[in-house]
């Protein structure tokens, strides 16, 4: 017993005495006996009054509380404040009268076992959660989320549980909406494949999401949380522009930061990313403190854009080459007529001069210049894909083997020639002489790119070009091809040079070292053969020219032995139709000097009249292909109805006409291409006249 604390007997006697004194006071027997009371009794009475006041205050507090308060004992509610009634929808009297079963039904079925097990633990004084969340079913059937804080207490000597309850429905809904929003945001980011970064600028600490790391090929633990982890991976060529954009945003110049750049992956490769972000927190003095954003992998988009740019460039280049080709063909056609006249008249004059005549020297110079010019026009026609081609089914390996010695002489001793020819190489259809010329031109160009020596490699292979390849290369059709690749170890080409390398007369060589027609001629030959030609080159890394020709399944064409034509003259009748009068005059004179009887006209209608009026056989019709009023093939067909015995020889400066399909002679048709010499014309005419019908 503590010091100065009264014993039970002392308290009892004091209370008896106090009661007696109070009785006396009430009866008026004594006036003042308060001083008789012992101090113990006086203190006990004060404590009783204080307890009553405390209980009154506590009751008022509980009654007016914004939190529901209930006391449960023996699975019954024995106390409930007004807020408990408001939360549940029942009155206080109804709550106090609820049966234990009805009380249990106040709790949502999915939460009931957990809540009542917690209360049971409390009654039995077992450790139990002091705080729990559950759903309550109100009197009207609606459901509210509650948070309950419970504690054990004694009530009238029996264990009870006091529960303080808060309605958290609105808070719960807000939290659920927030979680749902976060889930949608996370799903959207993951679905888009975006990585998230969060830069705390005061410390340069950065949070990198798992997706941000995996996008670059890293595991979660392989990248720290410093800004340097990002900085050291930005491509050196992009770093300055990236920081410039960041500074603009932080200075308020741009509402958001956005930049496309390359970032290094774990394996050393680079990916293109779209980096977007925004400063979301500023210090009191206006400095950015927190910068958050996302990385989007745009490598595939960049690849598509790059491929599209290449296709557009290829298309633009193809259009340019087509335009240049049309111009070149038109010029070559007109020049061919002029050169035929110049060269032919020179030959006629030379026939009339004595061997020692001084004028022969000048005439020979004129003829030589005309032949040189004719060679240039032939190359222009080759580039423009309008030259005559005699198509045959050939084996490229055989063509390369036949050229082997010639190519070795062309490149010289300082350059090593290597050939890798695929066995069982497929066959292609092309003009053998033209393909040889294309190979020679490319080899000469490669030789000139290796002034100090090097290696020249020629390869062949069967290849399949699929839809994906065709989609990236203009004018390419998917299918089976034979590839011819010619590679050198020379100086290579810059992008600007490579862009113009097929243009006629474009050259990087010194004046007098080349005409600039070598590769353009090869380009035209390949294109006219139905193939494609591509150049791969970088400065200092050499050049590879790849030619793809469609593979054919036809048998090889065996070389034909041409019957020797000993004579080039005759006495047959020839009808010549040529709308260029100077050329008509020349052809008539050339053939007349060979002994032929020649009828000449520059007009189709006149030719028909001559044919009808000429009662004797016409052995040969020599006609230009394209004429103002009627084309040569139509005119020849009409003349053949009058003179079925006549053979037909077509002549033209280029092959863009009805007789030739894309420069390929139609079956059974004979053709001579301008410009031609006297000997060539005489030989071709004699050859055709001697050919059996």
């Amino acid at each position: 017993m503590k010091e100065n604390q009264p014993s039970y007997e002392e308290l009892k006697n004091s209370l008896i005495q106090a009661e007696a004194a109070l009785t006396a006071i009430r009866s008026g027997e004594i006036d003042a006996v308060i001083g008789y009371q012992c101090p113990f009794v006086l203190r006990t009475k004060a404590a009783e009054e204080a307890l009553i006041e405390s209980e009154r205050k506590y009751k008022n507090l509980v009654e007016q509380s914004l939190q529901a308060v209930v006391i449960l004992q023996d699975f019954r509610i024995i106390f409930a404040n007004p807020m408990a009634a408001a939360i549940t929808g029942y009155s206080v009297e109804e709550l106090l009268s609820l049966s234990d079963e009805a009380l249990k039904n106040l709790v949502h079925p999915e939460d009931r076992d957990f809540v009542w097990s917690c209360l049971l633990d409390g009654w039995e004084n077992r450790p139990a959660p002091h705080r729990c969340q559950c759903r309550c079913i109100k009197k009207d059937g609606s459901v509210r989320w509650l948070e309950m804080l419970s504690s054990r207490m004694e009530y009238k000597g029996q264990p009870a549980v006091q529960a303080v309850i808060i309605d958290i429905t609105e808070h719960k809904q807000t939290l659920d909406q927030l979680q749902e929003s976060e889930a949608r945001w996370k799903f959207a980011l993951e679905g888009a494949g975006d990585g998230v970064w969060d830069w705390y600028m005061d410390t340069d600490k950065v949070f990198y999401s798992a997706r941000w790391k995996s996008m670059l090929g890293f595991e979660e633990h392989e990248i720290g949380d410093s800004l340097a982890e990002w900085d050291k991976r930005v491509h050196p060529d992009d770093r300055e522009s990236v920081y410039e954009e960041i500074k603009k945003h932080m200075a308020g110049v741009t509402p958001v930061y956005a930049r496309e750049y390359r970032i290094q992956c774990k394996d050393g490769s680079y990916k293109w990313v779209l980096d977007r972000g925004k400063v979301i927190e500023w210090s009191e003095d206006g400095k950015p403190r927190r910068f958050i954003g996302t990385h989007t992998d745009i490598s595939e988009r960049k690849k598509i854009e790059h491929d599209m740019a290449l296709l557009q460039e290829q298309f633009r280049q193809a259009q340019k080459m087509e335009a240049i080709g049309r111009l070149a063909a038109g010029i070559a056609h007109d020049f061919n007529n002029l050169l035929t006249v110049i060269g032919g008249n020179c030959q006629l004059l030379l026939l009339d001069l004595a061997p020692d005549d001084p004028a022969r020297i000048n005439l020979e110079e004129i003829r030589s210049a005309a032949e040189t010019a004719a060679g240039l026009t032939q190359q222009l026609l080759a580039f423009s894909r309008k030259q005559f081609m005699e198509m045959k089914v050939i084996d490229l390996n055989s063509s390369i083997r036949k050229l082997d010695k010639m190519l070795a002489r062309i490149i010289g001793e300082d350059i090593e020639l290597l050939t890798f020819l695929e066995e069982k190489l497929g066959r292609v259809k092309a003009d053998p002489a033209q393909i040889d010329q294309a190979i020679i031109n490319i080899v000469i160009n490669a030789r000139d790119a290796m002034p100090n020596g090097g290696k020249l490699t020629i390869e062949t292979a069967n290849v399949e070009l699929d839809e994906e390849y065709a989609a990236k290369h203009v004018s390419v059709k998917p299918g089976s091809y034979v590839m011819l690749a010619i590679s050198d170890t020379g100086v290579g080409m810059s992008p600007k040079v490579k862009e113009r390398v097929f243009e006629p007369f474009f050259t990087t060589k010194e004046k007098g070292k080349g005409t600039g027609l070598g590769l353009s001629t090869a380009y035209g030959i390949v294109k006219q053969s139905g193939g494609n030609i591509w150049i791969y080159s970088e400065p200092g890394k050499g050049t590879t020219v790849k030619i793809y020709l469609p593979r054919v399944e036809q048998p090889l064409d065996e070389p034909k032995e041409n019957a020797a034509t000993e004579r080039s003259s005759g006495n047959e009748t020839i009808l010549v139709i040529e709308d260029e009068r100077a050329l008509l005059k020349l052809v008539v004179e050339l053939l007349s000097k060979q002994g032929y009887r020649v009828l000449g006209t520059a007009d189709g209608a006149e030719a028909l009249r001559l044919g009808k009026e000429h009662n004797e056989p016409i052995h040969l019709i020599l006609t230009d292909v394209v004429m103002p009023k009627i084309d040569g093939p139509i005119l020849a067909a009409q003349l053949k109805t009058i003179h079925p015995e006549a053979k037909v020889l077509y002549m033209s400066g280029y092959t863009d006409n009805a007789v030739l399909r894309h420069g390929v002679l139609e079956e059974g048709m004979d053709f001579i291409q301008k410009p031609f010499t006297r000997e060539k014309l005489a030989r071709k005419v004699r050859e055709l006249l001697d050919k059996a019908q």
Side-chain angles (χ1 to χ4, degrees):
M1 183 174 294
K2 293 182 181 179
E3 189 178 356
N4 298 325
Q5 183 174 342
S7 66
Y8 173 73
E9 289 298 326
E10 290 174 323
L11 283 172
K12 181 179 178 181
N13 292 334
S14 295
L15 288 172
I16 293 171
Q17 295 174 21
E19 181 64 28
L22 290 172
T23 301
I25 291 172
R26 287 194 294 268
S27 63
E29 295 176 0
I30 58 175
D31 296 325
V33 293
I34 300 301
Y36 176 77
Q37 302 297 319
C38 71
F40 303 123
V41 174
L42 292 174
R43 286 202 302 272
T44 301
K45 187 66 175 178
E48 183 179 356
E49 291 174 352
L51 179 60
I52 293 171
E53 178 63 19
S54 175
E55 287 178 349
R56 183 186 66 76
K57 289 180 179 180
Y58 175 75
K59 183 176 181 182
N60 289 338
L61 181 65
V62 170
E63 294 290 336
Q64 298 173 15
S65 174
L66 297 178
Q67 300 173 339
V69 179
V70 295
I71 298 175
L72 298 97
Q73 193 176 63
D74 296 331
F75 293 101
R76 299 287 297 274
I77 296 175
I78 59 175
F79 173 82
N81 70 347
M83 182 54 67
I87 286 177
T88 61
Y90 293 90
S91 66
V92 171
E93 292 74 17
E94 287 175 322
L95 288 174
L96 297 177
S97 64
L98 287 176
S99 65
D100 57 349
E101 189 64 28
L103 181 60
K104 289 180 180 180
N105 290 335
L106 281 177
V107 182
H108 193 280
E110 294 179 8
D111 303 334
R112 195 171 293 157
D113 291 342
F114 169 69
V115 171
W116 287 106
S117 65
C118 293
L119 293 175
L120 184 61
D121 287 341
W123 279 317
E124 296 178 359
N125 204 23
R126 290 198 296 263
H130 292 286
R131 185 188 299 271
C132 69
Q133 293 182 359
C134 64
R135 285 162 290 182
C136 167
I137 301 176
K138 294 183 65 173
K139 185 177 180 180
D140 62 5
S142 61
V143 177
R144 305 291 292 179
W145 272 98
L146 307 179
E147 183 171 78
M148 182 171 65
L149 183 65
S150 60
S151 60
R152 188 178 186 279
M153 63 177 295
E154 292 283 334
Y155 188 80
K156 294 184 179 180
Q158 297 296 323
V161 173
Q162 176 180 273
V164 178
I165 303 168
I166 306 172
D167 188 333
I168 60 168
T169 303
E170 282 72 22
H171 170 73
K172 187 75 173 175
Q173 288 174 346
T174 302
L175 186 62
D176 288 344
Q177 288 171 358
L178 179 61
Q179 290 175 343
E180 186 178 348
S181 176
E182 288 178 350
R184 282 198 298 267
W185 177 72
K186 183 179 179 182
F187 177 78
L189 286 178
E190 291 178 351
D194 287 355
V196 178
W197 50 265
D198 193 350
W199 178 11
Y200 295 88
M201 305 180 78
D202 290 341
T203 61
D204 270 347
K205 294 291 185 183
V206 183
F207 162 77
Y208 303 103
S209 70
R211 175 58 187 152
W212 192 98
K213 297 173 184 178
S214 65
M215 187 187 298
L216 303 181
F218 290 96
E219 297 293 333
E220 181 79 25
H221 64 278
E222 291 181 309
I223 289 185
D225 61 355
S226 69
L227 182 65
E229 294 282 2
W230 165 80
D231 178 79
K232 67 184 180 183
R233 292 183 171 86
V234 177
H235 195 285
D237 294 344
D238 300 335
R239 184 174 286 112
E240 183 178 349
S241 62
V242 170
Y243 274 107
E244 187 64 31
E245 287 300 318
I246 291 174
K247 289 177 182 176
K248 283 182 182 179
H249 174 60
M250 291 193 299
V253 177
T254 56
V256 293
Y257 154 71
R259 187 68 184 173
E260 295 178 358
Y261 59 88
R262 290 159 290 180
I263 190 167
Q264 192 174 39
C265 300
K266 183 179 180 180
D267 61 6
S269 64
Y270 282 89
K271 277 188 175 181
W272 275 96
V273 295
L274 170 59
D275 199 10
R276 290 171 291 191
K278 186 177 179 67
V279 175
I280 62 170
E281 188 177 322
W282 302 81
S283 64
E284 292 182 359
D285 57 356
K287 293 182 179 179
R289 297 186 62 186
R290 189 177 175 195
F291 198 172
I292 191 168
T294 61
H295 267 184
T296 304
D297 186 347
I298 60 170
S299 301
E300 188 62 27
R301 194 199 83 196
K302 280 290 184 180
K303 181 177 179 299
I304 293 171
E305 288 177 354
H306 178 263
D307 291 344
M308 286 297 294
L310 285 179
L311 279 176
Q312 289 173 354
E313 177 58 26
Q314 290 174 19
F315 182 66
R316 187 190 66 80
Q317 188 74 0
Q319 285 184 314
K320 181 178 73 173
M321 299 294 278
E322 183 67 25
I324 295 173
R326 288 175 184 271
L327 175 62
I331 293 172
H333 173 259
D334 292 339
F335 266 89
N336 275 339
N337 284 340
L338 295 172
L339 292 171
T340 303
V341 173
I342 293 169
N345 279 293
C346 280
Q347 288 183 309
L348 288 174
L349 288 171
L350 287 168
L351 288 174
D352 294 336
L353 293 178
D356 58 348
D357 193 314
R360 291 189 69 90
I361 297 174
N362 292 332
L363 287 173
E364 289 289 357
E365 287 290 337
I366 294 172
R367 187 181 70 167
S368 176
E371 289 176 353
T372 301
L376 290 175
T377 59
Q378 283 301 108
Q379 291 183 73
L380 283 175
L381 286 173
F383 163 72
S384 60
R385 291 170 275 168
K386 288 176 171 58
Q387 68 170 340
F388 166 66
M389 296 185 74
E390 194 173 350
M391 306 294 279
K392 296 181 182 295
V393 178
I394 62 172
D395 175 14
L396 276 182
N397 284 352
S398 297
S399 298
I400 293 167
R401 291 189 185 103
K402 289 175 184 177
L403 289 173
D404 191 58
K405 290 183 179 179
M406 180 190 294
L407 296 179
R409 288 195 299 271
I410 290 172
I411 63 178
E413 295 179 355
D414 293 337
I415 298 174
E416 182 182 2
L417 177 61
L418 303 172
T419 56
F420 300 92
L421 309 180
E422 181 169 321
E423 296 182 8
K424 298 181 180 178
L425 188 69
R427 295 178 289 276
V428 299
K429 195 166 189 177
D431 185 318
Q434 299 293 343
I435 288 296
D436 289 352
Q437 186 64 58
I439 294 171
I440 291 168
N441 289 359
I442 295 169
V443 168
I444 290 173
N445 207 69
R447 176 202 64 189
D448 294 342
M450 297 183 285
N452 300 318
K455 288 185 179 181
L456 179 71
T457 305
I458 300 178
E459 302 173 70
T460 59
N462 294 318
V463 296
E464 297 290 333
L465 301 183
D466 56 17
E467 295 280 356
E468 183 179 354
Y469 182 90
K472 296 177 182 178
H473 295 81
V474 171
S475 77
V476 173
K477 296 178 180 179
S480 302
Y481 288 80
V482 171
M483 182 203 71
L484 167 63
I486 302 175
S487 304
D488 65 62
T489 57
V491 296
M493 303 180 193
S494 68
K496 288 185 177 180
V497 170
K498 191 167 66 171
E499 183 180 343
R500 300 187 60 193
V501 74
F502 290 131
E503 292 180 17
F505 303 114
F506 174 78
T507 180
T508 58
K509 300 173 186 176
E510 297 176 15
K511 188 175 181 180
K513 294 288 186 179
T515 62
L517 287 169
L519 288 178
S520 60
T521 300
Y523 172 88
I525 291 169
V526 172
K527 286 290 188 178
Q528 197 170 350
S529 302
N532 289 283
I533 181 169
W534 308 98
I535 285 191
Y536 305 87
S537 183
E538 291 183 36
K541 295 185 179 180
T543 299
T544 296
V545 180
K546 286 188 176 182
I547 294 171
Y548 295 91
L549 295 172
R551 213 180 326 172
V552 298
E553 300 299 328
Q554 302 168 23
L556 290 171
D557 285 327
E558 297 297 331
K560 294 180 181 178
E561 294 292 334
N562 292 324
T565 303
E566 294 182 359
R567 65 191 182 99
S568 59
S569 59
N571 57 7
E572 291 90 345
T573 301
I574 301 175
L575 174 59
V576 179
I577 309 104
E578 168 61 59
D579 61 302
E580 291 286 340
R581 293 191 179 275
L583 184 54
L584 172 65
K585 180 177 178 295
L586 172 67
V587 173
V588 169
E589 189 171 354
L590 287 174
L591 292 175
S592 297
K593 282 186 177 293
Q594 296 300 119
Y596 297 106
R597 288 172 290 175
V598 184
L599 305 173
T601 179
D603 182 77
E606 177 67 12
L608 288 171
R609 185 187 65 78
L610 287 173
K612 290 175 181 177
E613 292 178 355
H614 192 78
N615 296 321
E616 295 181 10
I618 294 178
H619 301 90
L620 179 66
I621 299 168
L622 175 58
T623 177
D624 194 8
V625 175
V626 181
M627 292 189 296
K629 295 181 181 179
I630 183 170
D631 282 342
I634 298 173
L635 177 61
Q638 293 179 6
L639 286 169
K640 285 276 287 182
T641 61
I642 303 170
H643 291 276
E645 74 282 359
K647 296 176 181 177
V648 180
L649 177 61
Y650 295 100
M651 57 182 172
S652 181
Y654 60 84
T655 63
D656 189 14
N657 51 62
V659 175
L660 306 178
R661 296 192 307 267
H662 308 293
V664 180
L665 194 65
E666 289 189 0
E667 191 69 31
M669 291 188 174
D670 293 283
F671 178 82
I672 184 170
Q673 187 163 353
K674 303 172 188 176
F676 45 75
T677 62
R678 178 180 66 88
E679 292 84 0
K680 186 176 179 181
L681 176 63
R683 187 166 53 251
K684 186 68 177 179
V685 168
R686 188 69 260 166
E687 178 186 310
L688 186 55
L689 288 171
D690 290 343
K691 187 166 67 173
Q693 287 281 8

